[in-house]
Amino acid sequence: GAQSADDAKLEQLKQQGFARVAIANEPPYTAVAADGKVSGAAPDVAREIFKRLGVNDIVASISEYGAMIPGLQAGRFDVVTAGLFMKPERCAAVAYSEPVLCDAEAMLVKKGNPKGFKSYEDIAKDASATVGAPGGGTEEKLALNAGVPRDRVIVVPDGQSGLKMVQDGRIDAYSLPVLSINDLMKKANDPNLEVIAPVQGAPVYCDGAAFKKGDEALRDAYDVELAKMKKSGEFAKIIEPYGFSAKAAMSTTRDKLCAAK
Amino acid sequence: MAWDWDFVREIMPTLIQGVKITILATILGSILAAIVGLGIALARRSENRFVSRSVGWFAEFIRGTPLLVQLYFIFYVLPDIGILLPPLVAGVIGLGLHYGTYTAEVYRAGIDNVPRGQWEAAKACNLNGRHTWTHIILPQAIPPMIPALANYFIAMFKETPLLSAITVLELMNQAKSVANTYYRYIEPMTLVGAFFLVISLCSVVLLRWLEHRYGRIER
Amino acid sequence: MPAPIIKVDAISKSFGAFKVLDGLSMQVMPGEKLALIGPSGSGKTTILRILMTLEKIDGGHIQVDGEQLYHMERNGQLLPADERHLAKMRQKIGMVFQLFNLFPHKCVMDNVTLAPMLTKGTPRAAAEKRAMELLDMVGLADKAKSMPAQLSGGQKQRVAIARALALSPKIMLFDEVTSALDPELVEEVLNVMRKLAAETDMTMLLVTHEMGFAHDFADRVLFFDRGRIVEEGKPDEIFRHPKQERTQGFLKKIIAAGHRV
Amino acid sequence: MPAPIIKVDAISKSFGAFKVLDGLSMQVMPGEKLALIGPSGSGKTTILRILMTLEKIDGGHIQVDGEQLYHMERNGQLLPADERHLAKMRQKIGMVFQLFNLFPHKCVMDNVTLAPMLTKGTPRAAAEKRAMELLDMVGLADKAKSMPAQLSGGQKQRVAIARALALSPKIMLFDEVTSALDPELVEEVLNVMRKLAAETDMTMLLVTHEMGFAHDFADRVLFFDRGRIVEEGKPDEIFRHPKQERTQGFLKKIIAAGHRV
Amino acid sequence: MTQWSGYLGLILQGALVTIELTLMGSVLALIMAFLAGMGRVSRFFIVRALATTYIEFFRGTSIFVQLFWAYFVLPFAGLSLTPLQAGVLALGLNVGAYAAEVVRGAILSVGREQYEACTALNLGRWQGMRHVILPQALLVMLPTFGNNAIELLKATSVVSLISLADLTFQAQVVRSQTGSTLMPFLSVLIIYFALALIISWGVRTLERRMARGLDGVRV
Ligand SMILES: Nc1ncnc2c1ncn2[C@@H]1O[C@H](COP(=O)(O)OP(=O)(O)OP(=O)(O)O)[C@@H](O)[C@H]1O
Ligand SMILES: Nc1ncnc2c1ncn2[C@@H]1O[C@H](COP(=O)(O)OP(=O)(O)OP(=O)(O)O)[C@@H](O)[C@H]1O
Ligand SMILES: [Mg+2]
Ligand SMILES: [Mg+2]
């Protein structure tokens, strides 16, 4: 029945020799080198695990956040490893692996934090404040849940645009995970900007590899290898150079994150 | 993934917010395109070679490159030289400039379609340049171009989803946003498609009427 | 003997490599009625268009009513005419075209009054009074409110004549004013022109293929061929006893084709 | 006495509310040369176009060469003609248009050979041989490789005649074949037609405003007015002693306008 | 500013994808244009209705919605296309609908007298179309086809929606990876313009070649 169909999925990946992976255009979760080669914490972990599963390579395609889950559902990708943080609603839409990359939320603001933001609630309180976030991302939802009205949450297509919009004063804050913001700051090297991290009241989130509902067998196989790597320390070796904490990922579980309210 | 009418009802108000912005951007963009187009058309007829040539190349360049990239450029690059435009304004300028290069061609065709005999008759009547334009040429040139102009304004309407790239919350952007919130894509995207289809079908009727009223002109 | 009102002196005109007028000279006396005949492409239309300043000349001089047409004297020097000078000279000249060239978006009355009101600042009432006299003269007083599209070809051409007369030019140019008309409508236009010739002392230049009319109408006939005047003289001389071989050949063909001479 | 080759029986034709032909009847004998004259809008072109099946009729019958043109007999019933029947009937008829209607993208030779090759399957060599004979007949053998745009109006019209003849029709229709030509070019076309009339026993119907030519060419003249035949007879009768007032008026006007009769 | 120059290779890869999309999309568009354009003037109601539906549907809904459907919704109907296939399909069908109207217009622009000459010479409907009408109409279509191809080129910039790494998309990637905004956008603008110039030059050359003889100049 379903079980054998699921096994078939892994068999199929083995046969074709690669898995199709959706990644985001967001360092350090992903990085694209000048020669077009994809690296970064998320794809590196995925590549290693698939290798262990007998799938030699991954073919990564950069995708908009908004296009990832529909792409997964439509069978465009076999897995999404893009810093899609686990949340109850998402857990209902896709099948997550155990946690991989964990990060807290941060905000990018002008030097000196002129409006004094510490949390998303602060933005909600200031009737003239605007915050930028990726469309369909965790930060957008956090801001909305904190009471920032829809028209003050600006959907920004990518990190570089968000940074630029803060520099140009189009938005007061741009919110992304801490490491993403730090990477942006490093590249921009702009003394007029400042990072607020972590955002108060925002939980630490962890992403996992997201599979299509129905591919649970593949996901389970993935989990087994992930657990082995976590134990052996290889997991930490891959992600820590990018700034991620392996400990954070190992101190929580999918079940906890998916149940959180 | 089955179609869910309750979900449709739930997201309708949000999408209608987007429709309003879409229509506003189209109207403002059309007005700007109509003005920019006339400006380009007149500049290209200028006696001054430098003016006509450089405006000509500029228009060619705008017409040969994607609006999407132009919008990025206006929104993200212009601030570097101190021009900081709100998203909707940047979007309207992008639309107006881009489609202005199209309407310029319409103006040009409209003006060229006025028979040479009319210019000559105006000269034989000893009218000066300004009188010739305002009393003889433009009154004959503009009515036949109205259908072609309207055609471009409708095309512009269908390109407004590009504005989502520069954070304008028009229909497409709203649809994406609700889709991402609920992880349901078919309903919002289909509604967007249906909405565009309805508006275009109405505009076909409008166009037929305009063509009937003002005569045909080939694109 | 009075001075000629038009003095064309060795003008030449080329379109690209093709020489249309080649050192053409001619003189026209005030009040004279001149017919220009000749084969297709011989330059008849071109000389009228040059007099109306619709084409520029490449060389030579033209004097109209004692003043240079394409040149103006400044401090004893002959300079190319500017638009102001041309506009002044155009006041002396009116033209009626083969294809009428009425303004299709204006009614008959407006076609006739437009130029006087705009160029001479004639008040509307005066312009309309004069227009009615002219329309009456061409037999179209009852059509004042019609649009050009509602008129027959013959009526259009009569309006065009009234329009040209409204500026009271000293010289009128007619370029094949009947050749676009149905045979039955030719006569009404020619009648108007006969009347005009009889009643006014305007100078008139007429290009035509209606040899019969040219014969009755003109004081003098010029025969054009390849941009030159090959023969000229009284109508009887030209039509009954042409001296040049080229003229004889032309008239023979015309007669053979069924035109009355 | 042989049977008429064309028998038009009480046909009527309207454009919208406007009745162009009103119960028109006429007969044409094989080999007869017929001239159709009459004022503009009287339906002359329309009857030719109907015979060429370019317009449909509203009522009445037409027989051509013993067969119904717009009807076909099936089991003793008269049915409206289908495309096959029309194609068969069209083989008997050729037409030359006022504006030549040459195919501008094909050279003279191809204009003449296209129809025989496509409709009769004539081999290229035979079609070209016949075309050369015809072009020779109209005096254009040396223009076989020219494009229509390189020809004068008179030459174009002669090619059009050759093209129509290439299908060897029994009946030829000519609609004002000289009225779009410069006066000097009219004669060359009329010469070709004279030759054609003298050398072949083809039936010919000619609409023309060239009264002189109609007089010389036709065996019989029909005078049309408002969609009816008002008067018919030998050319001398019609042109010298017209009986009907309308005919007299028409001829008077034509003469006044400078046309030879 | 040498930092981003290493990424030029990436941009050129994007240019390759853009060119590929443009070429394949144009071929599909051309086929659809002739099918639907001639369908519009067919004698048969069904054919006319089909052609009209296709044209109005694809001109009516926005290209964004069509792309989204081709890529994300068709798989639910069992038809899973690669991004390139989906892109070519959406672009080709979309531009083909516009070009179909060009084909129709060009066919109708051939004067009635040419059809009548065909009838008078007893050519069949298809014979007349094939030998007389289409060869003349083709010349009328050509310039507008050139414009349509440029429209298609520009429309390829929206395929980033379905994860195709075209020029615009690569510009975004380079921008994120290097932090430089001006250079990637400027360079892709220039590349687009160069491609557009190549298209219009090609079409003009073709047009000149086909027009030979028609204007009375010796062939
Ligand atoms: N704008 C132009 N460009 C190029 N050639 C021209 C132009 N205007 C006129 N010509 C050419 O100049 C020649 C003379 O033209 P023109 O119109 O003066 O002849 P015409 O004597 O009036 O002949 P017709 O009796 O046919 O009117 C013709 O061969 C014509 O083709
Ligand atoms: N397709 C059409 N639609 C409407 N009216 C038409 C059409 N064809 C002809 N007519 C009208 O029918 C009438 C007769 O036309 P027809 O062309 O037969 O006249 P004609 O005798 O050939 O005149 P002419 O000497 O001007 O060529 C005219 O009034 C014309 O306007
Ligand atoms: Mg002339
Ligand atoms: Mg006729």
Side-chain angles (χ1 to χ4, degrees):
Chain A
Q3 187 59 41
S4 63
D6 287 349
D7 287 341
K9 177 84 185 180
L10 180 56
E11 276 314 306
Q12 178 208 332
L13 294 185
K14 276 187 195 164
Q15 286 223 319
Q16 70 186 30
F18 62 88
R20 296 163 303 159
V21 178
I23 58 175
N25 183 18
E26 186 179 332
Y29 288 84
T30 30
V32 181
D35 61 2
K37 189 171 155 33
V38 175
S39 60
D44 283 359
V45 171
R47 187 178 285 123
E48 181 59 28
I49 294 182
F50 273 112
K51 203 173 278 165
R52 288 164 182 239
L53 287 174
V55 181
N56 286 335
D57 202 3
I58 57 172
V59 174
S61 42
I62 301 179
S63 172
E64 274 188 57
Y65 277 106
M68 286 174 189
I69 291 180
L72 192 66
Q73 288 171 343
R76 293 279 157 214
F77 321 114
D78 302 312
V79 61
V80 176
T81 63
L84 273 186
F85 290 144
M86 286 186 221
K87 280 174 295 174
E89 319 88 68
R90 275 195 191 144
C91 292
V94 301
Y96 270 116
S97 71
E98 289 296 331
V100 179
L101 303 174
C102 298
D103 204 351
E105 295 301 338
M107 280 194 267
L108 187 68
V109 293
K110 282 253 167 76
K111 184 84 196 167
N113 193 1
K115 296 209 165 174
F117 298 144
K118 291 198 179 62
S119 64
Y120 295 114
E121 281 76 12
D122 294 341
I123 299 174
K125 270 183 249 150
D126 183 340
S128 69
T130 51
V131 59
T138 309
E139 297 76 14
E140 182 187 31
K141 225 164 259 179
L142 284 172
L144 289 173
N145 287 343
V148 185
R150 174 77 260 187
D151 60 335
R152 290 203 273 124
V153 181
I154 309 297
V155 173
V156 175
D158 59 286
Q160 203 59 39
S161 301
L163 175 98
K164 196 77 176 35
M165 289 177 76
V166 176
Q167 282 173 330
D168 297 339
R170 292 187 203 263
I171 49 180
D172 297 308
Y174 179 54
S175 184
L176 276 185
V178 177
L179 291 170
S180 305
I181 291 265
N182 285 344
D183 186 82
L184 276 179
M185 271 299 270
K186 201 168 77 207
K187 286 196 178 115
N189 196 17
D190 181 346
N192 296 317
L193 295 180
E194 172 176 328
V195 174
I196 306 165
V199 176
Q200 283 178 14
V204 170
Y205 279 114
C206 297
D207 86 338
F211 296 85
K212 189 177 164 180
K213 285 266 168 193
D215 284 346
E216 278 83 0
L218 177 60
R219 190 269 314 269
D220 293 343
Y222 193 94
D223 274 347
V224 171
E225 293 302 325
L226 180 60
K228 281 190 213 155
M229 283 171 63
K230 282 182 177 170
K231 221 166 180 182
S232 68
E234 275 164 285
F235 177 66
K237 233 186 267 168
I238 294 176
I239 64 167
E240 284 183 344
Y242 291 107
F244 291 98
S245 152
K247 219 194 292 155
M250 283 147 70
S251 64
T252 182
T253 65
R254 167 175 70 235
D255 291 344
K256 251 195 254 169
L257 290 164
C258 281
K261 249 292 153 203
Chain B
M1 228 194 216
W3 183 266
D4 180 353
W5 281 109
D6 286 334
F7 182 55
V8 170
R9 247 189 306 280
E10 196 179 332
I11 61 179
M12 227 17 164
T14 321
L15 292 187
I16 287 174
Q17 284 302 315
V19 170
K20 285 186 197 157
I21 300 289
T22 292
I23 291 176
L24 181 66
T26 308
I27 291 175
L28 294 178
S30 300
I31 294 171
L32 187 62
I35 297 168
V36 168
L38 184 60
I40 293 177
L42 292 180
R44 289 191 77 161
R45 295 182 73 94
S46 162
E47 302 268 304
N48 183 332
R49 273 287 191 81
F50 177 76
V51 171
S52 61
R53 282 276 172 82
S54 48
V55 169
W57 273 100
F58 174 74
E60 282 296 309
F61 183 79
I62 299 277
R63 229 147 50 98
T65 52
L67 176 57
L68 179 61
V69 187
Q70 289 162 12
L71 289 172
Y72 281 132
F73 207 87
I74 295 172
F75 195 66
Y76 294 119
V77 177
L78 286 192
D80 291 346
I81 56 167
I83 303 174
L84 185 68
L85 303 164
L88 186 62
V89 175
V92 166
I93 289 178
L95 288 172
L97 209 59
H98 195 84
Y99 279 89
T101 64
Y102 288 96
T103 56
E105 291 301 306
V106 177
Y107 281 105
R108 180 155 74 154
I111 291 166
D112 286 351
N113 271 347
V114 176
R116 211 169 67 128
Q118 293 292 311
W119 292 91
E120 298 187 341
K123 221 172 197 186
C125 286
N126 209 6
L127 303 187
N128 63 25
R130 193 169 56 85
H131 286 150
T132 304
W133 277 108
T134 55
H135 289 270
I136 309 300
I137 304 304
L138 288 181
Q140 291 185 61
I142 288 180
M145 358 197 252
I146 288 176
L149 285 179
N151 213 350
Y152 280 122
F153 298 154
I154 293 165
M156 174 190 297
F157 167 75
K158 279 176 283 191
E159 280 213 69
T160 49
L162 284 180
L163 301 193
S164 63
I166 56 167
T167 79
V168 177
L169 264 183
E170 46 63 64
L171 178 59
M172 188 78 178
N173 215 2
Q174 289 281 21
K176 275 199 226 161
S177 153
V178 297
N180 287 330
T181 310
Y182 300 99
Y183 305 112
R184 294 195 65 99
Y185 299 88
I186 296 194
E187 289 90 350
M189 286 307 159
T190 307
L191 286 178
V192 173
F195 169 75
F196 276 108
L197 193 59
V198 167
I199 296 271
S200 319
L201 289 180
C202 296
S203 57
V204 167
V205 176
L206 172 76
L207 263 182
R208 293 278 139 82
W209 180 79
L210 285 176
E211 276 169 8
H212 173 75
R213 171 92 173 64
Y214 293 109
R216 253 200 114 80
I217 196 168
E218 233 359 287
R219 268 196 303 153
Chain C
M1 201 180 111
I5 189 165
I6 302 177
K7 230 163 110 178
V8 173
D9 189 13
I11 61 167
S12 56
K13 168 77 190 169
S14 300
F15 289 113
F18 179 63
K19 201 149 203 171
V20 183
L21 297 182
D22 187 9
L24 182 88
S25 299
M26 62 187 236
Q27 300 202 348
V28 187
M29 289 297 146
E32 204 177 8
K33 316 286 182 259
L34 216 61
L36 281 57
I37 65 169
S40 190
S42 57
K44 309 179 297 294
T45 296
T46 305
I47 180 69
L48 291 202
R49 291 170 55 81
I50 285 174
L51 288 171
M52 192 67 254
T53 71
L54 298 175
E55 308 277 1
K56 293 204 162 57
I57 53 175
D58 302 333
H61 288 85
I62 301 180
Q63 246 187 34
V64 171
D65 200 22
E67 284 185 87
Q68 288 288 331
L69 180 58
Y70 281 100
H71 301 82
M72 49 189 194
E73 259 172 272
R74 289 278 181 284
N75 315 324
Q77 274 196 303
L78 271 191
L79 299 177
D82 60 10
E83 188 53 35
R84 264 232 342 263
H85 178 80
L86 288 176
K88 196 185 80 189
M89 295 303 290
R90 275 187 214 120
Q91 291 179 9
K92 305 176 194 281
I93 310 174
M95 179 161 181
V96 182
F97 300 87
Q98 181 175 7
L99 291 174
F100 336 128
N101 296 355
L102 292 185
F103 302 134
H105 58 301
K106 298 199 176 283
C107 71
V108 166
M109 174 57 83
D110 291 347
N111 260 282
V112 180
T113 55
L114 183 74
M117 286 169 59
L118 290 180
T119 66
K120 299 188 164 175
T122 316
R124 175 176 293 277
E128 296 201 340
K129 186 160 162 289
R130 168 107 176 99
M132 276 315 285
E133 290 166 16
L134 288 168
L135 288 175
D136 202 33
M137 197 271 286
V138 300
L140 288 173
D142 55 329
K143 297 283 182 191
K145 287 283 150 248
S146 303
M147 298 304 279
Q150 299 165 324
L151 304 181
S152 76
Q155 292 171 330
K156 280 184 199 158
Q157 195 57 294
R158 286 184 280 154
V159 174
I161 293 174
R163 183 177 69 177
L165 291 173
L167 286 168
S168 313
K170 295 189 174 176
I171 303 167
M172 282 281 281
L173 312 174
F174 299 90
D175 187 16
E176 299 197 33
V177 290
T178 60
S179 66
L181 301 181
D182 286 335
E184 291 191 88
L185 305 175
V186 168
E187 198 54 24
E188 61 190 45
V189 173
L190 295 187
N191 278 337
V192 166
M193 293 181 59
R194 279 195 195 95
K195 195 156 121 192
L196 203 60
E199 289 177 6
T200 73
D201 56 0
M202 225 178 276
T203 309
M204 290 163 83
L205 274 67
L206 170 82
V207 169
T208 188
H209 283 290
E210 303 275 346
M211 296 303 150
F213 182 69
H215 182 272
D216 303 345
F217 172 90
D219 302 324
R220 187 156 55 104
V221 177
L222 306 185
F223 178 73
F224 274 64
D225 191 28
R226 298 195 201 146
R228 295 163 162 282
I229 298 173
V230 175
E231 185 163 1
E232 64 166 291
K234 294 244 172 301
D236 266 338
E237 289 168 30
I238 298 279
F239 288 121
R240 305 291 168 209
H241 315 288
K243 292 193 200 77
Q244 302 292 326
E245 208 173 307
R246 189 62 199 134
T247 319
Q248 291 159 5
F250 173 74
L251 291 171
K252 212 155 91 190
K253 276 205 181 164
I254 291 278
I255 292 167
H259 287 274
R260 184 179 68 116
V261 170
Chain D
M1 202 180 111
I5 189 166
I6 301 177
K7 229 162 111 179
V8 172
D9 188 15
I11 60 167
S12 56
K13 169 77 191 170
S14 300
F15 290 113
F18 179 62
K19 199 149 203 168
V20 182
L21 297 183
D22 189 6
L24 182 87
S25 300
M26 63 188 235
Q27 301 200 346
V28 187
M29 289 297 147
E32 204 178 7
K33 315 286 182 256
L34 215 62
L36 281 57
I37 65 168
S40 191
S42 57
K44 310 180 295 294
T45 295
T46 304
I47 180 68
L48 291 201
R49 289 170 56 81
I50 286 174
L51 288 172
M52 191 68 252
T53 71
L54 297 174
E55 307 278 1
K56 293 206 160 55
I57 53 175
D58 301 335
H61 288 87
I62 300 180
Q63 247 188 32
V64 171
D65 200 20
E67 285 184 86
Q68 288 288 332
L69 180 58
Y70 280 102
H71 301 82
M72 49 189 192
E73 258 171 272
R74 288 278 180 282
N75 315 325
Q77 275 194 303
L78 272 192
L79 300 176
D82 60 10
E83 187 54 35
R84 267 233 335 264
H85 179 80
L86 288 176
K88 195 185 80 187
M89 295 304 291
R90 277 188 211 117
Q91 292 180 7
K92 307 174 193 282
I93 310 173
M95 180 161 181
V96 182
F97 299 87
Q98 181 173 7
L99 290 173
F100 337 127
N101 299 3
L102 293 184
F103 302 135
H105 60 300
K106 297 207 175 280
C107 71
V108 165
M109 174 58 82
D110 291 347
N111 261 281
V112 180
T113 56
L114 184 72
M117 285 169 59
L118 288 179
T119 66
K120 301 190 163 174
T122 315
R124 176 177 294 277
E128 297 202 338
K129 186 162 161 288
R130 169 108 175 97
M132 276 315 286
E133 290 167 18
L134 289 167
L135 289 175
D136 200 35
M137 198 271 287
V138 301
L140 288 174
D142 54 329
K143 296 283 182 193
K145 287 282 150 248
S146 303
M147 298 301 281
Q150 298 166 325
L151 304 180
S152 76
Q155 293 171 328
K156 280 184 200 156
Q157 195 57 292
R158 286 184 281 152
V159 173
I161 293 173
R163 184 176 69 173
L165 291 174
L167 287 168
S168 314
K170 295 187 173 177
I171 303 166
M172 283 280 284
L173 312 173
F174 298 92
D175 187 15
E176 297 199 33
V177 290
T178 59
S179 67
L181 303 181
D182 286 336
E184 291 190 271
L185 305 176
V186 168
E187 198 54 24
E188 61 190 46
V189 173
L190 296 186
N191 279 336
V192 165
M193 293 181 58
R194 277 193 199 98
K195 197 157 118 192
L196 203 59
E199 290 177 7
T200 74
D201 55 359
M202 227 178 273
T203 309
M204 291 163 84
L205 273 70
L206 170 83
V207 170
T208 187
H209 283 291
E210 302 277 344
M211 296 304 149
F213 181 69
H215 183 273
D216 302 346
F217 171 90
D219 302 325
R220 189 155 55 105
V221 177
L222 306 184
F223 178 72
F224 274 64
D225 192 26
R226 296 194 204 144
R228 297 165 161 280
I229 298 173
V230 174
E231 187 165 359
E232 62 166 292
K234 295 240 169 303
D236 266 339
E237 289 168 30
I238 299 280
F239 288 122
R240 304 293 167 208
H241 315 288
K243 293 191 199 77
Q244 302 292 327
E245 209 173 302
R246 192 56 202 139
T247 320
Q248 291 161 6
F250 173 76
L251 290 170
K252 212 155 96 189
K253 274 204 181 163
I254 291 279
I255 293 167
H259 286 275
R260 181 181 69 115
V261 169
Chain E
M1 277 288 112
T2 51
Q3 191 198 3
W4 80 274
S5 62
Y7 284 93
L8 199 62
L10 221 51
I11 288 190
L12 289 181
Q13 272 174 30
L16 224 57
V17 173
T18 293
I19 291 171
E20 209 176 335
L21 271 170
T22 307
L23 286 179
M24 295 183 0
S26 296
V27 170
L28 178 61
L30 205 62
I31 294 170
M32 291 313 293
F34 273 95
L35 285 181
M38 293 177 60
R40 281 289 303 253
V41 295
S42 162
R43 264 181 304 174
F44 303 108
F45 174 77
I46 292 290
V47 179
R48 280 204 309 275
L50 276 176
T52 309
T53 310
Y54 159 71
I55 292 171
E56 294 304 348
F57 180 80
F58 278 92
R59 295 202 311 169
T61 52
S62 178
I63 177 80
F64 305 92
V65 183
Q66 288 158 22
L67 264 178
F68 194 90
W69 270 73
Y71 193 62
F72 293 122
V73 181
L74 275 188
F76 288 109
L79 183 60
S80 188
L81 304 171
T82 66
L84 191 68
Q85 287 168 339
V88 168
L89 187 72
L91 291 169
L93 290 181
N94 183 278
V95 175
Y98 285 92
E101 288 294 88
V102 178
V103 171
R104 184 179 77 107
I107 289 176
L108 295 183
S109 81
V110 175
R112 203 172 71 137
E113 75 284 351
Q114 292 287 316
Y115 291 88
E116 295 187 342
C118 289
T119 308
L121 291 174
N122 209 5
L123 300 185
R125 222 182 126 82
W126 172 244
Q127 287 176 329
M129 196 47 117
R130 157 85 182 69
H131 293 277
V132 176
I133 307 301
L134 279 184
Q136 295 181 61
L138 213 53
L139 197 66
V140 180
M141 299 172 203
L142 214 54
T144 324
F145 275 170
N147 290 343
N148 286 338
I150 293 176
E151 292 303 317
L152 200 150
L153 165 71
K154 293 193 295 177
T156 58
S157 69
V158 306
V159 298
S160 51
L161 181 70
I162 57 168
S163 322
L164 252 183
D166 76 309
L167 257 182
T168 306
F169 188 81
Q170 296 291 31
Q172 291 285 14
V173 171
V174 172
R175 174 169 175 243
S176 295
Q177 300 295 335
T178 64
S180 158
T181 295
L182 176 67
M183 295 318 267
F185 282 148
L186 200 60
S187 48
V188 303
L189 275 180
I190 290 169
I191 294 176
Y192 276 116
F193 187 48
L195 292 176
L197 285 182
I198 291 174
I199 292 176
S200 50
W201 171 82
V203 170
R204 262 204 311 275
T205 313
L206 204 60
E207 200 188 335
R208 251 202 312 278
R209 194 164 293 175
M210 282 180 50
R212 263 185 223 162
L214 281 180
D215 49 5
V217 182
R218 262 244 155 259
V219 216

